[in-house]
Amino acid sequence: MNAIMKLLKKKQEMKVCKFGGTSVGTVERMKHVATLIKDATPKIVVLSATAGTTNHLEEIAANLFNREIEQAHEFQFIEFANGLLTDEKLKREAIDYILDRFQQLWKFTKDSFTSVEEKEVLAQGELISTALMHFYLRELKVPNVLLCAFD
């Protein structure tokens, strides 16, 4: 949040760019979006979950509702990170981030699962796609700050 506050205090023009799930639905498309946003103009970039992710997360939520825990453990995002990133250190950071996000979901396997928790499961798609873009921009040496919408 400090990065945004600094820009606002400078009264610098800032763009807000929103990209839907199809725009970042494949590694190639996410790379293309990176070319669109990597100029020096200050901006806030908002990404949807990658195409198909919300459906996948809805299936995970349904499995948690039904207490079918084994079916809820899937990691499609790791393959995406492996295809997107070439720097091994950044790839490890990205995979650790993904695993951490899913670790948050595993807590729902122990307690009851409600519509409140379902919303948290569904939010993971946007959080992960935004983090993957952050790691890719870092790989390109494009300065950026990852801000969590929850914060």
Side-chain angles (χ1 to χ4, degrees):
M1 194 61 114
N2 289 335
I4 293 175
M5 296 308 292
K6 286 179 188 176
L7 289 172
L8 291 174
K9 285 180 183 176
K10 290 181 184 178
K11 297 185 181 182
Q12 197 169 6
E13 183 179 313
M14 186 182 316
K15 290 182 179 180
V16 176
C17 304
K18 166 70 169 85
F19 295 94
T22 305
S23 300
V24 292
T26 65
V27 169
E28 294 75 24
R29 288 182 180 174
M30 187 170 281
K31 287 181 177 183
H32 176 69
V33 168
T35 65
L36 298 174
I37 63 173
K38 70 179 188 174
D39 63 31
T41 305
K43 63 186 68 69
I44 296 173
V45 178
V46 180
L47 302 179
S48 292
T50 57
T53 297
T54 301
N55 292 343
H56 179 72
L57 291 168
E58 285 173 341
E59 289 175 20
I60 290 174
N63 289 328
L64 291 169
F65 267 126
N66 297 328
R67 308 308 296 161
E68 297 169 349
I69 306 307
E70 291 305 312
Q71 289 83 357
H73 294 218
E74 292 193 36
F75 297 110
Q76 74 177 35
F77 304 101
I78 292 174
E79 184 177 319
F80 197 98
N82 281 323
L84 180 66
L85 302 164
T86 56
D87 180 284
E88 290 302 321
K89 182 177 183 267
L90 286 173
K91 192 182 293 189
R92 182 77 251 158
E93 285 182 51
I95 291 171
D96 286 346
Y97 177 87
I98 293 165
L99 293 174
D100 182 61
R101 297 308 322 155
F102 273 87
Q103 190 67 32
Q104 296 299 311
L105 301 184
W106 301 159
K107 68 184 177 192
F108 301 136
T109 63
K110 296 179 174 73
D111 299 319
S112 63
F113 189 76
T114 68
S115 60
V116 173
E117 285 83 16
E118 178 185 27
K119 289 177 180 135
E120 190 170 337
V121 169
L122 297 178
Q124 300 311 306
E126 283 80 9
L127 296 172
I128 291 171
S129 64
T130 303
L132 288 171
M133 178 63 79
H134 163 71
F135 289 113
Y136 182 63
L137 290 172
R138 281 182 51 201
E139 184 170 272
L140 297 176
K141 309 280 189 258
V142 176
N144 71 96
V145 176
L146 178 63
L147 300 173
C148 178
F150 291 153
D151 298 336

